[in-house]
Amino acid sequence: MRFPSRSALLATAATAATLAGVACAHDTSDVINLSKDSFKSVVDPEPLILVEFFAPWCGHCKALAPHYEESATALLKESPPIKIAKVDCTVEEDLCASQDIQGYPTLKVFRNGTPAEYTGPRKADGIISYMKKQALPSLSKVSAAELADFKTKDRVVAVAYLPEQSSHLSTFSKVADKHRDAYVFGHVADAEAAKAAGVTPPAVVLYRSFDEPEIKYTGPIDDEEGLEDFLKAQSVPLVDEVGPENFMTYAEAGIPLAYYFTEVNGANKDADLKAIRETAQKYRGKVNFVWIDADKFVNHAKSLNLAGESWPAFAIQDIQGGQKFPLEKLGSDAGKAIASFVEDFVGGKLVASIKSEPIQEQTGPVHVLVADEFDKIVYDDKKDVLVEFYAPWCGHCKKLAPTWDTLGERYASIKDKITIAKMDATTNDIPPSAGFQVQSFPTIKFKPAGGREWLDFNGDRTIEGFVEFISLNAKNDVKVDPSAVNSTAAKTEAEQHEKPKHEEVSSAPALCARSPR
Ligand SMILES: *[C@@H]1O[C@H](CO)[C@@H](O)[C@H](O)[C@H]1NC(C)=O
Ligand SMILES: *[C@@H]1O[C@H](CO)[C@@H](O)[C@H](O)[C@H]1NC(C)=O
């Protein structure tokens, strides 16, 4: 599953972790420092080892460091011990190139030398839990004697009570294989153990370290999707506080996330949360609910199109669909307002909020596109459309501006066939009809006339580059005289992109680009 990039939540966390790192620095380390010469001899014999590829200058690596140290110390105490190592890619350039390292930090789990992507969290407890799960088989055979201990192995432990030859076992194993990174799975065959646990086989029970500690699955066990939905729905607390350390869980749950933004000591916080819990219970499995520190994460509120000026406030985010539903004024009975808002949301009665600047009167050769007229302009079947999505603060965008204006001028005489447009993606949301969100600036996309498909422009950002791309991909006859092309316009490199400063919430881990800026 892919999600957009990271959030304002994370920037704050990185800062906190960096500060903690200074305080916690100690002389000896349990993290093995690997070099080109030691890499194979250390990594290949280990049935399980975690390796971080990092650069000392990278802020995300610095933020991870104290958590990585803490995890190494804790995981060495496991039996058998789980080792943790690191490679400094500024020193070991060849080794990192051979491992195809594209950004820092990159974490990989090696099993006897075979790498797999590490997809877990970057906080100590999360890393420890993830690696402990990696050390277990995807589905553990659990005896009666082991059961009590096994139930507490992780935040969420799924146990199937099934006879040895049960036909349900293959479905449960399949789910376990697929979700082994997220949950611990066990199989109890012993009928006496099931009885002692108060369970009648065939049954699946979830043991949790939060809310009600035991939840029985009530659907058919051979329903793979049903089991997965059950796991997703029950693996988060009813209404938890959300922050960078647990955001991933919600992003991966694949259902919309509802936020109650409140000051930590907000006057009505407790009463509101009590009411929200009832709503959350009602829509469990359809919408996840969290509360969030509004002062700390005001940029996150703004990214959900809340004004960010008064609390409490509420918003629902459809993370997959990139849609947001803010509710600014909660009135005197916030619990009630939220309940009816969520009901409307689930009933499909709400219209997603799309931030837009006012529609402009067009005066220049480049069309100034805003969200409110997006569909009308870009899905005008008669025209090919080239759009630059930019941010005012982005240096590469500023450099591109004169080229873009010149490009607009080149096509000005055939405006009925092609539109050269630009859209400020910080003051306008990209409507869901586009089917994409912008991750870096500038992003340049082309939509040939008559279709709904977008093409990425990844060529040279020169007049020649754009003209050639357009003539190759346009559906209309939009040839311009190449000699009329003004090549004095500023030249910019294709690879130059900038990440948003206030990134939207996302799940892809925060990475530093391979070389320092
Ligand atoms: C780790 O190894 C690198 C060589 O790969 C070396 O330059 C660096 O000084 C080592 N760091 C420590 C803390 O030993
Ligand atoms: C060519 O582009 C440059 C930079 O944008 C501009 O100053 C110049 O006037 C343009 N010349 C023509 C002939 O359009």
Side-chain angles (χ1 to χ4, degrees):
M1 232 184 300
R2 287 232 150 246
F3 300 99
S5 70
R6 281 236 153 168
S7 70
L9 295 177
L10 294 161
T12 313
T15 311
T18 312
L19 295 175
V22 175
C24 301
H26 48 78
D27 299 316
T28 56
S29 168
D30 289 319
V31 178
I32 303 165
N33 186 24
L34 294 173
S35 67
K36 181 167 92 279
D37 298 327
S38 61
F39 190 83
K40 271 188 87 62
S41 63
V42 172
V43 171
D44 287 3
E46 292 300 322
L48 183 67
I49 182 170
L50 178 63
V51 182
E52 179 202 3
F53 299 87
F54 75 103
W57 50 259
C58 161
H60 299 302
C61 305
K62 288 182 196 160
L64 172 64
H67 294 279
Y68 208 63
E69 291 291 340
E70 190 184 333
S71 306
T73 305
L75 288 168
L76 273 184
K77 295 189 184 122
E78 287 292 296
S79 72
I82 301 170
K83 290 185 184 161
I84 284 210
K86 64 180 178 185
V87 174
D88 181 343
C89 289
T90 61
V91 181
E92 303 294 343
E93 286 179 24
D94 293 347
L95 175 54
C96 294
S98 73
Q99 289 290 332
D100 195 25
I101 303 305
Q102 303 290 344
Y104 309 126
T106 293
L107 290 131
K108 292 190 184 190
V109 173
F110 288 80
R111 293 175 191 276
N112 293 111
T114 305
E117 192 191 349
Y118 171 90
T119 57
R122 293 211 196 139
K123 289 240 315 183
D125 54 356
I127 298 169
I128 295 165
S129 158
Y130 183 93
M131 290 309 289
K132 278 159 96 174
K133 286 196 279 282
Q134 294 292 315
L136 293 172
S138 64
L139 178 58
S140 304
K141 197 80 199 294
V142 184
S143 71
E146 291 160 344
L147 184 57
D149 184 42
F150 189 80
K151 285 180 193 173
T152 62
K153 270 222 178 295
D154 206 30
R155 291 178 69 247
V156 179
V157 177
V159 175
Y161 294 90
L162 299 169
E164 206 60 74
Q165 306 301 334
S166 167
S167 60
H168 296 318
L169 203 51
S170 71
T171 311
F172 193 71
S173 300
K174 223 192 263 170
V175 173
D177 277 341
K178 222 158 123 189
H179 299 282
R180 63 172 303 164
D181 294 349
Y183 318 106
V184 167
F185 293 89
H187 169 214
V188 173
D190 187 313
E192 286 305 308
K195 205 167 156 196
V199 175
T200 316
V204 170
V205 181
L206 222 54
Y207 297 99
R208 313 187 296 185
S209 61
F210 54 85
D211 293 356
E212 311 96 284
E214 282 188 37
I215 304 276
K216 285 201 175 73
Y217 173 63
T218 51
I221 297 172
D222 54 8
D223 175 3
E224 194 178 324
E225 227 171 89
L227 273 170
E228 288 178 320
D229 289 347
F230 168 73
L231 279 167
K232 274 183 204 163
Q234 301 296 342
S235 61
V236 291
L238 199 52
V239 184
D240 201 1
E241 179 178 3
V242 74
E245 59 289 343
N246 61 353
F247 178 76
M248 285 280 278
T249 315
Y250 292 100
E252 281 172 356
I255 57 179
L257 182 57
Y259 304 79
Y260 171 72
F261 282 87
T262 175
E263 285 157 321
V264 174
N265 297 315
N268 291 322
K269 183 179 160 211
D270 291 342
D272 287 352
L273 282 178
K274 188 159 175 271
I276 291 169
R277 287 182 69 85
E278 281 174 30
T279 305
Q281 185 67 53
K282 189 165 164 196
Y283 296 104
R284 177 142 229 169
K286 291 202 177 76
V287 181
N288 278 326
F289 287 77
V290 292
W291 73 268
I292 181 165
D293 182 339
D295 292 325
K296 211 159 146 192
F297 298 118
V298 58
N299 280 333
H300 190 58
K302 287 180 182 165
S303 79
L304 296 173
N305 295 353
L306 286 166
E309 280 153 14
S310 77
W311 314 113
F314 186 78
I316 302 175
Q317 181 184 25
D318 176 351
I319 299 170
Q320 259 81 34
Q323 294 191 313
K324 19 196 163 172
F325 303 85
L327 177 61
E328 196 78 62
K329 303 239 181 316
L330 295 180
S332 56
D333 190 343
K336 206 167 153 200
I338 288 169
S340 92
F341 187 72
V342 174
E343 188 181 340
D344 287 349
F345 171 76
V346 173
K349 291 186 193 148
L350 296 185
V351 177
S353 148
I354 294 170
K355 188 166 58 181
S356 180
E357 287 182 281
I359 294 176
Q360 325 248 329
E361 195 180 320
Q362 303 295 333
T363 52
V366 172
H367 188 103
V368 181
L369 185 64
V370 301
D372 282 346
E373 55 163 4
F374 188 86
D375 286 10
K376 178 172 158 244
I377 300 299
V378 303
Y379 297 123
D380 177 342
D381 280 347
K382 292 195 287 301
K383 294 181 190 171
D384 292 284
V385 184
L386 184 69
V387 187
E388 181 207 359
F389 299 93
Y390 73 97
W393 49 259
C394 154
H396 300 308
C397 305
K398 285 180 199 152
K399 246 166 94 184
L400 178 62
T403 310
W404 207 253
D405 286 342
T406 307
L407 192 66
E409 279 160 22
R410 287 287 157 255
Y411 290 96
S413 62
I414 48 170
K415 268 191 163 165
D416 55 327
K417 292 183 184 160
I418 180 164
T419 303
I420 306 295
K422 63 178 178 184
M423 178 160 150
D424 181 342
T426 65
T427 49
N428 293 282
D429 286 332
I430 297 176
S433 63
F436 60 83
Q437 293 296 317
V438 167
Q439 307 289 345
S440 61
F441 301 114
T443 290
I444 300 165
K445 298 216 177 223
F446 185 72
K447 201 207 64 64
R452 305 283 284 187
E453 291 287 307
W454 288 88
L455 306 176
D456 290 320
F457 176 86
N458 291 316
D460 248 2
R461 291 191 207 138
T462 57
I463 290 290
E464 292 88 341
F466 291 122
V467 168
E468 192 192 334
F469 179 86
I470 290 169
S471 67
L472 276 175
N473 294 293
K475 288 283 185 282
N476 290 321
D477 179 12
V478 290
K479 298 272 181 309
V480 289
D481 179 2
S483 64
V485 164
N486 183 347
S487 352
T488 61
K491 186 179 163 113
T492 48
E493 297 301 318
E495 316 80 69
Q496 289 178 328
H497 280 281
E498 287 173 53
K499 293 286 178 197
K501 291 232 169 72
H502 299 298
E503 285 165 279
E504 309 241 323
V505 173
S506 72
S507 60
L511 283 184
C512 295
R514 225 168 49 211
S515 52
R517 241 159 254 160

